[in-house]
Amino acid sequence: MPNFCSEVKIISNNSWTVINMHLLKPFSFSKRFPETEVIGSAFAGKNDNLIPLSFGFPAPESLPVDKMTAATEAAMKTQGRQALAYSGGSGPKNIVNWIKERSKLREIIATEEKIMVTAGSSQAIDLITRTLTDPGDEIWVEAPTFFGALKTFRLAETKLVSFPIDEDGLRVDFVEQELLTRVNKGLPLPKLMYVIPNYQNPGGVNLSLARKKRLAELAYKYNFFIIEDDAYVELSFDGTFSPAIYSFGPERVVYLSTFSKIIAPGLRLGWAIGLPQIIEKMKILKVDGLTSVYVQEVTKNLLEQMDMDEQISYLNSIYLPRKNAMVSAIKQYFGEEVSFHEPNGGFFLWLTFPAHIDTSEFLDAAIIAGVSYIAGKHFFLENEGFHHMRLCFTFCKEDIIHEAIKRLADTYYEHVNSIQVIEEVN
């Protein structure tokens, strides 16, 4: 048990009693906590001048502070008492209507009973997982994939199986072959398939239209559900989109998206679209009730004064030059040493180093040098992905990105040289 102090005082029957902490019996935490490293803990306090290329933060100047201030004031003046009550004012209904209309761009036809507003899309992932799986059920994922989703699936005590991606997204042919093998051998089939179809985190790739259609067909044929996590879909630098997987399989897909990437992550507002009976079950498990009705009221007011297409254009006018700056700097300082898919949207670049490199081995040195990243191993299941690295290009300005990549390259080559020296000595 943690020993924060030697004794504490508690009040009982109007008198103080001193308890010796050393005499308390030890306790154990729940067994559901996965034995995984807390990602990012190594960054704290290492360098006050750190350039963060690690976590997926939006550009600070993109956050609509002035409009949010006006929207908050309007919420208090027009819906104040209702917005501050449990059931809220007009905000929740209006947000659902906005989601319904916006979803048509992805060829998603959703009625109100198919939509659920959640505390970010991460809560939606958790609710879907607990709704559709029991401990021991299988969830199939991409490799690499979002580490937050992997954590959720592990907490649900499910079994995970991964399938590789290429420049057209998930290798659906590998998924199909494994499904056929499972059937022929009488082995368990997955309950869920988790996919990030657009500007995949971390790979930056898009799932091709043909693969979207085929994956939906497989979900029907083998009776599993797809979690379509579409957090980055709006951030298309050329403004093009393809239909959602949901449009090909609405009875076997739960579609997710979020306001985090297009307005602000601090809102903690996302949504799920699925069969009404699934949404109903998710609401039962959502023990916090309606999602922050006050924040929904403010967001409703914001959306009424914001042209979303103009907002997306503004975001991309910031992010495209930053992506280009990162690509240019990587080519300048790394040359042919690394490879990567250049994304046409989203937040991230996914670097591949020579196979013998473990990017986690020089993370601390990079932090000390003043640049952070996420080591590739965190995006895979077990003992994979060591020679990869995820970089975020949205948070920092172009000149800062250039300096960060230079520091990163210097750190990397120092690491490579130290390995060669050790090998020569041995």
Side-chain angles (χ1 to χ4, degrees), residues 9 13 127 188 195 238 262 282 303 315 350 371 379 412 417:
K9 293 181 179 180
N13 296 327
L127 292 172
V195 181
D238 62 8
I262 57 176
M282 289 170 62
L303 292 171
L315 292 175
W350 180 243
V371 59
F379 301 90
Y412 168 69
N417 291 335

Side-chain angles (χ1 to χ4, degrees), residues 81-280:
R81 286 184 172 83
Q82 286 180 289
L84 293 173
Y86 279 115
S87 57
S90 62
K93 182 177 181 180
N94 281 278
I95 290 294
V96 167
N97 287 334
W98 185 91
I99 292 168
K100 181 170 61 176
E101 292 303 310
R102 194 72 184 177
S103 298
K104 293 177 182 178
L105 295 176
R106 326 291 168 225
E107 299 189 15
I108 296 173
I109 306 302
T111 52
E112 184 175 334
E113 64 271 17
K114 294 182 178 180
I115 299 173
M116 179 181 184
V117 176
T118 58
S121 54
S122 291
Q123 185 186 49
I125 295 171
D126 174 60
L127 292 172
I128 296 165
T129 303
R130 292 192 288 127
T131 296
L132 294 176
T133 69
D134 291 308
D137 286 340
E138 288 195 9
I139 298 178
W140 291 6
V141 301
E142 298 166 304
T145 192
F146 173 43
F147 53 73
L150 293 179
K151 180 179 179 181
T152 297
F153 301 148
R154 286 169 174 145
L155 285 170
E157 301 179 68
T158 60
K159 296 180 180 178
L160 299 175
V161 178
S162 65
F163 297 84
I165 64 172
D166 61 17
E167 291 199 351
D168 288 320
L170 173 69
R171 288 294 303 269
V172 176
D173 56 332
F174 287 9
V175 174
E176 183 170 9
Q177 183 58 54
E178 181 63 18
L179 288 166
L180 183 61
T181 299
R182 295 289 185 98
V183 170
N184 290 338
K185 293 184 178 181
L187 298 174
L189 295 175
K191 294 292 290 295
L192 290 174
M193 178 93 217
Y194 175 73
V195 181
I196 307 172
N198 293 297
Y199 314 113
Q200 197 252 11
N201 178 7
V205 299
N206 290 358
L207 188 62
S208 70
L209 185 62
R211 292 186 186 184
K212 287 181 177 181
K213 291 179 179 178
R214 187 56 184 155
L215 188 60
E217 291 170 354
L218 294 175
Y220 281 113
K221 182 176 181 179
Y222 293 97
N223 198 31
F224 62 88
F225 276 86
I226 299 166
I227 301 178
E228 183 176 10
D229 187 356
D230 214 6
Y232 303 94
V233 61
E234 295 277 11
L235 301 178
S236 167
F237 295 150
D238 62 8
T240 60
F241 307 97
S242 68
I245 305 171
Y246 181 99
S247 69
F248 303 112
E251 292 81 19
R252 284 295 175 270
V253 179
V254 182
Y255 179 89
L256 311 182
S257 199
T258 178
F259 288 110
S260 293
K261 307 300 183 290
I262 57 176
I263 297 180
L267 295 177
R268 303 314 305 140
L269 284 182
W271 62 89
I273 301 175
L275 289 173
Q277 53 266 48
I278 292 178
I279 297 298
E280 289 172 6

Side-chain angles (χ1 to χ4, degrees), residues 359-404:
T359 60
S360 63
E361 290 182 350
F362 56 93
L363 175 58
D364 281 346
I367 299 298
I368 294 171
V371 59
S372 68
Y373 60 86
I374 302 292
K377 66 179 184 180
H378 297 296
F379 301 90
F380 293 83
L381 298 184
E382 292 182 9
N383 299 319
E384 302 175 77
F386 293 100
H387 63 300
H388 296 285
M389 170 192 299
R390 192 192 75 178
L391 302 175
C392 174
F393 55 76
T394 55
F395 184 74
C396 300
K397 295 182 179 180
E398 291 91 323
D399 58 333
I400 302 299
I401 288 174
H402 187 275
E403 174 61 24

Side-chain angles (χ1 to χ4, degrees), residues 5 11 21 41 46 50 65 72 78 84 128 136 180 194 224 257 315 346 367 409:
C5 58
I11 188 169
M21 296 292 286
S41 61
K46 293 290 183 70
L50 186 69
V65 175
T72 303
T78 62
L84 293 173
I128 296 165
L180 183 61
Y194 175 73
F224 62 88
S257 199
L315 292 175
I367 299 298

